[in-house]
Amino acid sequence: MPDLLLELRSEEIPARLQRKAAGDLKKLVTDALVEAGLSYEGAREYWTPRRLTLDIRGLTARSADVREEKKGPRTDANEKAIEGFLRGAGLSSVSEAQIQSDPKKGDFYIAIMSKPGRAAEEIISDVMPGIIRDFPWPKPMRWGAASAQPGSLRWVRPLQSIVCTFGTEHEETVVIPFSIDGIVASNVTYGHRFHTPGAITVKRFGDYIANLEKAKVILDGERRKDIILHDARDVAFANGLELVEDEGLLEEVSGLVEWPQVLMGSFEEDYLSIPAEIIRLTIKTNQKCFVTRPVGGDALSNKFILVSNIEASDGGKEIIHGNGKVVRARLSDALHFWKRDQGDLPDLETLEASAKKFGLDLKKPLDQRMAKLDALGVTFHAKLGTQGERVERIRAMAAKVAFPLGADYKLVDRAVVLAKADLRTEAVGEFPELQGVMGRKYAALQGEDAVVATAIEEHYKPQGPSDQLPQDKVAITVALADKLDTLIGFWAVDEKPTGSKDPFALRRAALGVIRILLERRVRLTLLPRITSHMGRIDTDIGKAVDDNDLSRQFDLLSFFHDRLKVYLRDQGARYDLIDSVLTPETDDLLMVARRVEALTAFITSEDGKNLLVGTKRATQILAAEEKKGTVVADGVSENLFRLDAEKELFAAITKASAEASAAVEKEDFRSAMEALSKLRAPVDSFFNDVLVNDEDAAIRANRLALLRLIREATGTVADFSKISG
């Protein structure tokens, strides 16, 4: 079966777009071929800075013939209906249609439409121009004289050539004939821009990839990454160092080169006085280079690893020299930022009001930056005011959170006041990724308590599902206060996530709150804090609201519930078990997790399975009778018992309910489940021996009240009616 080779070669494609673009090309082409009636054995995509390549193996040479029957109207239908049928079927008269008889419906027309199969070459030639023209680049461009014409080709960078060959392994391949905006598909590609820029004629993928490698182009992006990583490790090891690995940078650098050459540069050791985070980001952001450190050490060395796209005749000396000059210039700027941030601001007298508001010491550099942040009125959000106003709100929320966590409020308040101060530092202005990190370093330099310094950095955590959580109670308190203020604030001004859009990362903030509460075992009732804090925000922004309308507050709580369900489901919990313990008012999320954990263990046991069956039967009967309006007694009367099974069930419920309630009070949900499991036998006996719908209305009402006791007893732990099984 024939194979298809496709290459789209252009000017340099941004590294961040290459992998996805290659995947998009594979999906678009294979989907189009399959839709046209072809099949294939396998397909793989490749990419370099200058080309997207697709290798499709075992493509069928021709699509199958298609025979289709189209049913028409009855033979005695009106003329317009028959004419419409003929047009749709492509027939010129009813004589070209067939007639079929149906004993019930009578005679009707049938059109037999045959579509002959098409050669794969014809299909490929038809679908490729549209795929190329409509390719989903995020920001395509037009170029050259043709760009002035309406409908001219748009591509991420100027498209230069197309390779499209088709054929079997043992026969001559053919070029699929198509063109787009003057670029004609051929069997000619080109090698490395500098080393081997000449034309290369190719037949199929095997000689294509081999010839490219001879022309100093490594087509496989994963292989380029592997070469860079291992060569970088080897170069570092040869110099008594180890590479500080960075997967994101490795992915980017592999998309910048077609023929990777790993070299080592250096800078003056004096620059090592700059924090390692700044050095690493400076070198990574500006020069796409890796840093190194002594083997087994934490501090960085003054050697860096760079990756060139050229195999230089001088062994890379000039490349190293050029990169070194830029790195030193950037580090000189970084050293300047680092020193400036430790000095006094020039206009301290203008900051006294802000300093008084937050209890700041203007002799300390970080305090000055916080005062400056407030004095400048830096906007946090147009509807939610300034950063200074936000810090005041976070302080208020932290006060509501610190006590249940057992955190030292003075340390919490100091950490909150300084948490955003590094936003006014020059280091964070240059590298926003370092917010929090630099705050911690500057706090330590001015003698803050270590717990406060740590909280300044960790209050942003976790940044995602796999990020570390804050450790200390003070850091946990500040992290919760910050995230809760963010969520409550945006809910107050109706800036909630919609669909896939979440510009303020509110889903991430909610997941952060949930992870902290559950993984750090924090007991915190959310609804009172949401309600009081939203009231404060409404007052701050001058929003008039009905104090009795809690729809926004419950909507935010529901948002937490949705995130909690996703989190617990990822941990292996069943959705029905989560739903059985969640009510719209549930706001102690740790207790939800603990109930689900206990319920999961119980419901999979034999006692749990049997009790579930009996309980669901009881609740379903009760619900059906309640819906019909059947009288249910207000309480159970022992005088109306007629059978031993009734007496035994009532005694068992009374005992189990008391034990379960006591266990729930102690938050011992496993013991509560064990107490309820003792209901299994009496419930089974009751349904075996007792007819609930007795002819005597009083006895029936009493027995229904007994069923209600079962529902109430199990309801202390969960709503068993929501549990499947």
Side-chain angles (χ1 to χ4, degrees), residues 635-693:
V636 175
S637 172
E638 295 183 67
N639 294 329
L640 292 174
F641 289 158
R642 295 293 179 265
L643 299 170
D644 290 341
E646 292 177 279
K647 299 173 185 176
E648 290 168 3
L649 178 59
F650 181 65
I653 291 175
T654 303
K655 183 178 180 185
S657 184
E659 291 177 357
S661 296
V664 168
E665 281 292 318
K666 298 175 184 175
E667 297 172 4
D668 184 357
F669 299 110
R670 289 187 183 275
S671 295
M673 298 292 180
E674 290 174 8
L676 292 175
S677 70
K678 297 171 186 175
L679 290 175
R680 171 191 165 183
V683 167
D684 289 347
S685 297
F686 179 83
F687 283 118
N688 287 334
D689 300 345
V690 178
L691 176 65
V692 175
N693 284 321

Side-chain angles (χ1 to χ4, degrees), residues 517-518 521-523 564 568 581 588-601 663-670 673 717:
L517 295 179
L518 271 56
R521 315 297 286 179
V522 174
R523 295 289 311 279
L564 178 65
L568 291 177
V581 301
D588 188 340
L589 305 188
L590 178 60
M591 287 301 98
V592 173
R594 290 179 58 184
R595 284 174 184 260
V596 170
E597 182 182 356
L599 193 56
T600 301
V664 168
E665 281 292 318
K666 298 175 184 175
E667 297 172 4
D668 184 357
F669 299 110
R670 289 187 183 275
M673 298 292 180
V717 174

